[in-house]
């Protein structure tokens, strides 16, 4: 349109406006030259230009304009311009043209009708008065500039297709092709927005112990199973329902058009039956169960986000009650949800206001007959409730992602304390617990290296305690990270050994330096013969593999005797010493007595 304005000011205004009463030959020559320039501009413009009389007949047309209408300028001369507009817009364009006689100019989008084709265009309509002024006068013409939008439309179309594609990717899970969390929430919002008297149920489904299937069998089979689960879920519900995958082994189902809330239970039972059927292949033979949480619109809430959190609370309740269960959302769960929300908020405050503290539990080396290290244990010094153990909050810390900053604080604080302790006891080591979630963020090894460097603690003075699930959950990713850490000199221990699914053959592949036999095997030795055998077996195989063994939860003298006889390397437990503050452990005297007692034992 700028182009047109320029051409117009060059041509009509200057030629008409400046025409003198008497024109000299030189001026005629100049005017002709200017007119020719204007004509070529008029013709070459990538815009169709038309001049119309007051009856909208075409007086002048440039070649682009003629080409747009698929004919020659001569054939169009004095024909109706309006007849080239699609029939639906003819009246409105005529009205607009009549109007601009008064208002000067207008822009409108419409389409040209050329034979059987319609061409999307933008029209810029101007009234040009013969006096050269754009003020209303009885003597005027119309100037129409037409911009062909078909290419623009094509680009728009392509953009739309690309956008739709991206939208699809953003809303779908590539593995199962089901809507993902984003897609499912979109659907849920749309469903709840639709006015209806029927009920909508949201089912949240988590496969029980799927990680333990996925880990040993490998991700390839895990993926195959998830696709099979997706197809069983789709078969179990009706066409108006939506099945989505929220991530990992968690699925969600929107059940629409239910007359009663208990209809959802019937469908949920159908789903659990479908999932329970065997998954058979040459390499495996598996049965799966699921924990299902159900929330209902409008009974529980009309807010989609809340409906999801209610279903989630119900699902977690199903898991806690022993899995393979269907649980409806209840108001009592809401109380739990509120409590959990408050805990999350308080934990953030705790981190900000340094309410966390470290306790240290001694590890007694039987061979050296001395305390050679401490396990660092987290405590929350709550402003009202006092000291709180990690079992009541660590899960929430992990789920909220607070574990990353907190884990960094634990390690750097441990290192600072260790530097202090090593001034008097240069060989003392610390074992620091690392949760599975800390492995997910990806740069754990770099963060650890940085902390060791800034505090000046040698890598081999720190042992990281990892659970078997941490090692299983992240597969190769964890293994690479462990190898990097080990290569840097950091010691690695498997915590709670025996409670997970690690096998000795797997143990052999991991770069671990220690295993910690879980307290549950230690607590009833020497009376429980099978536990005695398990403990002896772990010790002997670990030693075969060159791995040290720590026994956890040693509380009695008999346990100590048994473990000593079984050639266990290190003991930890209340019998050796309870977790205590840094002040207590830096006071060497408090341990000298216990150490000598233990050595005598
Ligand atoms: P864990 O790593 O197995 O830690 C040992 C737990 O057993 C500690 O509980 C300890 O106080 C307790 N314990 C030690 N000796 C005995 C005993 O003789 N008898 C009995 N009954 N218990 C004993 P705590 O400190 O409550 O820690 C519980 C769990 O919380 C830990 O289990 C660990 O999984 C987690 N945790 C503790 N500190 C941290 C931490 O800094 N980071 C992370 N990620 N997790 C931590
Ligand atoms: Ca531990
Ligand atoms: Ca443990």
């Amino acid at each position: 349109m700028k182009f047109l304005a320029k051409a117009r000011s060059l041509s009509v205004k200057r030629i008409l406006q400046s025409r003198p009463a008497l024109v000299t030959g030189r001026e005629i020559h100049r005017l002709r030259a200017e007119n020719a320039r204007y004509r070529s501009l008029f013709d070459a413009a990538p815009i169709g230009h038309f001049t119309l009389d007051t009856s909208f007949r075409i007086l002048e047309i440039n070649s682009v304009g003629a080409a747009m209408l698929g004919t020659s300028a001569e054939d169009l001369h004095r024909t109706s311009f309006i007849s080239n507009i699609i029939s639906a817009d003819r009246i409105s364009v005529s009205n607009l043209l009549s109007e601009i006689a008064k208002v000067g100019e207008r822009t409108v989008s419409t389409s040209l009708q050329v034979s059987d084709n319609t061409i999307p265009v933008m029209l810029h309509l101007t009234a040009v008065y013969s006096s050269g002024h754009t003020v209303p006068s009885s003597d005027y013409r119309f100037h129409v500039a037409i911009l062909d939008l078909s290419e623009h439309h094509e680009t728009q179309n392509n953009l739309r297709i690309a956008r739709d594609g991206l939208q699809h990717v953003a809303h779908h899970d590539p593995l199962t092709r089901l809507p993902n969390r984003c897609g499912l929430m979109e659907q849920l919002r749309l469903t709840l927005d639709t006015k209806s008297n029927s009920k909508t149920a949201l089912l949240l489904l988590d496969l029980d112990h799927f990680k333990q299937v996925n880990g040993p069998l490998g991700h390839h089979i895990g993926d195959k199973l998830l696709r099979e689960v997706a197809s069983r879920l789709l078969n179990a519900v009706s066409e108006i329902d939506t099945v989505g995958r929220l991530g990992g082994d968690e699925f969600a189902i929107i059940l629409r058009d239910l007359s009663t809330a208990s209809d959802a239970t019937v469908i949920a039972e159908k789903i659990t039956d479908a999932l329970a059927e065997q998954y058979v292949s040459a390499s495996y033979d598996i049965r799966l169960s699921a924990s299902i949480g159900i929330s209902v619109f409008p009974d529980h809430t009309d807010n989609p986000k809340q409906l999801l959190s209610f279903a989630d609370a119900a699902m977690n309740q199903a898991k806690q009650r022993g899995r393979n269960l269907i649980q409806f959302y209840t108001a009592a769960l809401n109380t739990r949800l509120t409590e959990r929300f408050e805990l999350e908020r308080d934990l953030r405050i705790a981190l900000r206001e340094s309410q966390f503290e470290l306790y240290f539990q001694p590890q007694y080396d039987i061979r050296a007959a001395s305390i050679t290290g401490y396990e660092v244990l987290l405590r929350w010094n709550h402003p009202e409730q006092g000291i709180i153990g990690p079992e009541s909050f660590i899960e929430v810390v992990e789920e909220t992602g607070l574990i990353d900053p907190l884990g960094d604080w634990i390690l750097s604080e441990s290192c600072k304390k260790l530097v202090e302790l090593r001034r008097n006891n240069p060989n003392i080591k610390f074992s620091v617990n690392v949760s599975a979630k800390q492995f997910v963020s990806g740069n754990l090894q770099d963060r650890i290296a940085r902390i060791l460097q800034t505090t000046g603690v040698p890598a081999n003075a720190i042992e990281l305690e990892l659970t078997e699930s941490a090692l299983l959950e992240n597969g190769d990713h964890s293994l690479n990270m462990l190898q990097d850490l080990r290569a840097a000199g950091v010691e690695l221990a498997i915590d709670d050994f025996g409670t997970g699914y690690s096998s000795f053959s797997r143990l052999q592949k991991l770069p671990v330096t220690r295993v910690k036999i879980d307290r549950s095997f230690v607590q009833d030795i020497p009376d429980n013969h099978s536990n005695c055998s398990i403990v002896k077996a772990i010790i002997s195989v670990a030693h075969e593999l060159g791995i040290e063994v720590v026994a956890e939860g040693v509380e009695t003298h008999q346990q100590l005797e048994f473990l000593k006889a079984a050639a266990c390397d290190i003991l930890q437990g209340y019998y050796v010493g309870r977790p205590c503050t840094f002040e207590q452990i830096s006071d060497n005297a408090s341990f000298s007595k216990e150490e000598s007692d233990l050595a005598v034992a």
Side-chain angles (χ1 to χ4, degrees):
M1 292 304 150
K2 254 189 196 155
F3 191 82
L4 170 71
K6 199 171 166 192
R8 195 170 61 233
S9 67
L10 243 174
S11 59
V12 187
K13 270 189 194 168
R14 282 178 67 182
I15 297 168
L16 298 179
Q17 221 170 17
S18 61
R19 187 183 292 161
L22 264 173
V23 187
T24 64
R26 262 177 75 191
E27 257 174 312
I28 289 173
H29 185 74
R30 189 183 59 77
L31 280 171
R32 277 199 184 126
E34 198 164 324
N35 201 26
R37 234 183 13 252
Y38 159 63
R39 184 73 233 178
S40 69
L41 266 173
F42 185 70
D43 268 339
I47 290 172
H49 284 295
F50 295 75
T51 311
L52 315 180
D53 66 15
T54 45
S55 310
F56 313 142
R57 277 178 308 209
I58 298 170
L59 296 178
E60 273 186 305
I61 180 168
N62 71 347
S63 35
V64 174
M68 277 180 181
L69 300 182
T71 179
S72 69
E74 291 76 43
D75 287 348
L76 286 164
H77 191 66
R78 300 200 78 79
T79 60
S80 157
F81 172 74
I82 298 296
S83 63
N84 297 292
I85 305 288
I86 49 159
S87 56
D89 287 355
R90 276 179 203 159
I91 295 175
S92 59
V93 172
S94 303
N95 289 344
L96 211 60
L97 277 166
S98 311
E99 219 176 278
I100 57 159
K102 292 182 215 101
V103 294
E105 60 183 325
R106 276 273 188 279
T107 303
V108 62
S109 67
T110 176
S111 295
L112 298 178
Q113 185 71 55
V114 181
S115 309
D116 290 339
N117 295 331
T118 54
I119 307 168
V121 290
M122 180 86 90
L123 301 186
H124 183 76
L125 313 169
T126 337
V128 182
Y129 305 96
S130 55
S131 64
H133 298 291
T134 50
V135 288
S137 115
S138 55
D139 188 9
Y140 60 88
R141 289 174 175 187
F142 294 111
H143 201 129
V144 182
I146 308 185
L147 185 64
D148 184 342
L149 294 180
S150 359
E151 257 187 46
H152 177 70
H153 266 228
E154 205 169 303
T155 318
Q156 288 284 319
N157 219 17
N158 288 342
L159 275 175
R160 210 193 62 238
I161 293 167
R163 206 175 46 227
D164 288 353
L166 280 177
Q167 184 88 341
H168 187 86
V169 170
H171 284 79
H172 285 81
D173 158 44
L175 179 71
T176 58
R177 294 171 191 273
L178 295 176
N180 57 12
R181 181 179 291 271
C182 194
L184 192 106
M185 284 312 285
E186 181 77 32
Q187 296 260 345
L188 190 61
R189 266 190 292 273
L190 288 173
T191 309
L192 301 201
D193 276 349
T194 324
K195 299 270 169 288
S196 150
N197 289 331
S198 60
K199 294 178 193 291
T200 299
L202 180 66
L203 267 64
L204 224 59
L205 182 153
D206 189 284
L207 298 175
D208 298 331
H209 306 297
F210 185 74
K211 285 187 186 94
Q212 284 143 25
V213 174
N214 203 19
L217 288 179
H219 287 276
H220 174 65
I221 290 175
D223 287 354
K224 225 171 133 185
L225 275 173
L226 287 172
R227 278 194 292 263
E228 174 69 23
V229 166
S231 107
R232 289 188 189 190
L233 292 177
L234 283 170
N235 284 337
V237 300
S238 89
E239 273 169 12
I240 57 163
D241 302 328
T242 302
V243 178
R245 179 172 171 233
L246 301 187
D249 53 354
E250 207 174 298
F251 292 83
I253 301 160
I254 304 171
L255 299 177
R256 296 188 177 86
D257 218 8
L258 305 175
S259 28
T260 66
S262 58
D263 290 353
T265 322
V266 178
I267 303 170
E269 273 164 4
K270 198 171 148 197
I271 287 170
T272 42
D273 288 348
L275 293 181
E277 294 200 7
Q278 256 172 312
Y279 300 74
V280 193
S281 131
S283 50
Y284 59 86
D285 178 358
I286 294 165
R287 278 173 201 277
L288 289 178
S289 67
S291 302
I292 301 181
I294 305 176
S295 58
V296 178
F297 162 84
D299 304 16
H300 299 138
T301 174
D302 58 4
N303 177 311
K305 257 179 144 174
Q306 210 165 27
L307 200 66
L308 180 72
S309 73
F310 285 175
D312 191 56
M315 183 188 76
N316 281 319
Q317 174 74 356
K319 279 203 254 178
Q320 277 167 25
R321 284 179 48 213
R323 300 173 194 261
N324 194 12
L325 278 169
I326 298 163
Q327 169 75 50
F328 254 93
Y329 169 76
T330 63
L333 286 176
N334 197 20
T335 317
R336 212 160 305 155
L337 218 61
T338 314
E339 278 169 10
R340 149 111 204 196
F341 173 80
E342 284 169 0
L343 177 60
E344 200 178 313
R345 182 201 56 199
D346 292 350
L347 283 167
R348 286 181 202 280
I349 297 172
L351 190 63
R352 211 170 42 232
E353 298 188 352
S354 313
Q355 294 172 4
F356 291 107
E357 289 176 7
L358 298 181
Y359 273 57
F360 304 85
Q361 186 175 33
Q363 294 179 328
Y364 177 78
D365 188 316
I366 299 176
R367 300 153 303 179
S370 67
I371 286 165
T372 50
Y374 294 88
E375 177 175 359
V376 180
L377 295 163
L378 184 65
R379 297 289 179 264
W380 178 8
N381 194 350
H382 193 282
E384 283 136 35
Q385 298 168 42
I387 301 286
I388 303 176
E391 239 120 45
S392 47
F393 63 82
I394 203 84
E395 211 180 298
V396 179
V397 167
E398 288 179 349
E399 283 168 12
T400 49
L402 282 171
I403 192 68
D404 284 327
L406 184 59
D408 284 356
W409 177 82
I410 293 168
L411 192 69
S412 69
E413 192 63 18
S414 301
C415 286
K416 284 181 204 158
K417 293 282 192 276
L418 187 55
V419 168
E420 251 181 80
L421 206 62
R422 280 166 72 95
R423 285 203 195 108
N424 291 331
N425 198 340
N427 296 319
I428 216 85
K429 297 182 177 191
F430 274 178
S431 302
V432 180
N433 291 285
V434 175
S435 104
K437 293 286 182 299
Q438 286 172 270
F439 269 69
V440 180
S441 42
N443 59 347
L444 183 68
Q445 67 273 58
D446 300 336
R447 301 214 306 264
I448 292 175
R450 206 170 324 123
I451 292 170
L452 291 174
Q453 203 184 9
T454 49
T455 52
V457 168
N460 66 359
I462 291 289
E463 177 182 72
L464 302 179
E465 294 193 5
L466 308 142
T467 58
E468 293 166 70
S469 68
L471 304 171
L472 281 173
E473 258 174 47
N474 308 304
D476 288 346
H477 172 64
S478 308
L479 189 62
N480 293 341
M481 220 183 247
L482 289 182
Q483 272 156 351
D484 285 356
L485 283 166
R486 192 64 205 105
V490 175
E491 313 250 300
L492 301 168
I494 300 190
D495 206 354
D496 307 337
F497 190 78
T499 56
Y501 286 77
S502 260
S503 60
F504 280 120
S505 66
R506 197 177 155 77
L507 189 60
Q508 204 180 357
K509 296 190 192 108
L510 297 171
V512 292
T513 38
R514 271 185 187 177
V515 293
K516 298 188 77 179
I517 304 177
D518 190 66
R519 197 166 71 220
S520 58
F521 298 103
V522 177
Q523 69 189 4
D524 48 10
I525 51 175
D527 303 333
N528 184 322
H529 294 297
S530 77
N531 277 354
C532 289
S533 312
I534 290 171
V535 168
K536 279 201 242 169
I538 294 174
I539 295 170
S540 87
V541 178
H543 284 171
E544 280 291 313
L545 298 172
I547 295 170
E548 277 189 335
V549 182
V550 183
E552 291 190 293
V554 180
E555 292 180 352
T556 65
H557 186 74
Q558 290 97 307
Q559 287 165 352
L560 176 139
E561 295 259 280
F562 175 88
L563 291 160
K564 223 172 169 179
C568 182
D569 306 299
I570 291 148
L571 307 179
Q572 188 183 338
Y574 294 165
Y575 191 71
V576 176
R578 288 185 178 256
C580 29
T581 63
F582 184 69
E583 288 65 38
Q584 288 169 311
I585 64 159
S586 36
D587 175 10
N588 273 329
S590 68
F591 279 103
S592 51
K593 182 186 154 287
E594 283 185 42
E595 267 185 61
S596 55
D597 283 355
L598 289 162
V600 169

